[in-house]
Amino acid sequence: SVTMTTKRGLITDSFKVVKKARRGGGRAKRPPPPPPQTEAESEAVREEGLQKLRAFDLDWRFGPCTGISRLQRWERAQLHGLNPPEEIRELLLQTHTDSEYNLR
């Protein structure tokens, strides 16, 4: 009789190896540093932006804000013709990496 022998390899053998691009290329690729701002000035600008976003959160005209990001809520309001402030969208797009600005 013929015996079937299966070669048992590692599970990693069945997946293609994907190499990630190394981070931190050359210095030339880095964006120039932002113009120097005083600590208090940038903090005041940040607080003003957060105040505007909180006001947007509390404005019932743009629909409920439970379970969606601020940007999703802005886009939904725009879709339904509710004319949310463009300033809010710009603020959200400028600060999309900061979790404090994108609260759900």
Side-chain angles (χ1 to χ4, degrees):
S1 74
V2 177
T3 58
M4 292 180 60
T5 56
T6 56
K7 179 182 166 213
R8 287 225 184 252
L10 299 172
I11 190 157
T12 52
D13 294 341
S14 57
F15 294 100
K16 188 177 150 220
V17 176
V18 178
K19 300 217 178 197
K20 290 186 179 175
R22 290 197 340 190
R23 291 180 175 240
R27 282 183 178 267
K29 291 181 184 173
R30 287 208 183 129
Q37 273 189 325
T38 64
E39 195 74 26
E41 184 184 331
S42 62
E43 189 57 39
V45 168
R46 177 183 172 82
E47 194 52 45
E48 184 185 344
L50 287 171
Q51 285 287 339
K52 289 175 183 170
L53 291 176
R54 286 187 204 109
F56 175 68
D57 290 344
L58 296 174
D59 195 331
W60 54 269
R61 291 175 300 172
F62 304 119
C65 55
T66 311
I68 61 174
S69 71
R70 285 172 167 157
L71 188 56
Q72 288 170 319
R73 182 169 179 250
W74 189 95
E75 288 168 345
R76 182 188 62 197
Q78 181 70 19
L79 186 70
H80 292 292
L82 302 175
N83 300 321
E86 188 65 36
E87 179 187 21
I88 297 293
R89 181 173 178 270
E90 288 169 12
L91 191 59
L92 290 169
L93 291 175
Q94 287 167 10
T95 57
H96 66 90
T97 56
D98 188 328
S99 63
E100 204 173 338
Y101 282 90
N102 296 308
L103 297 172
R104 287 183 176 262

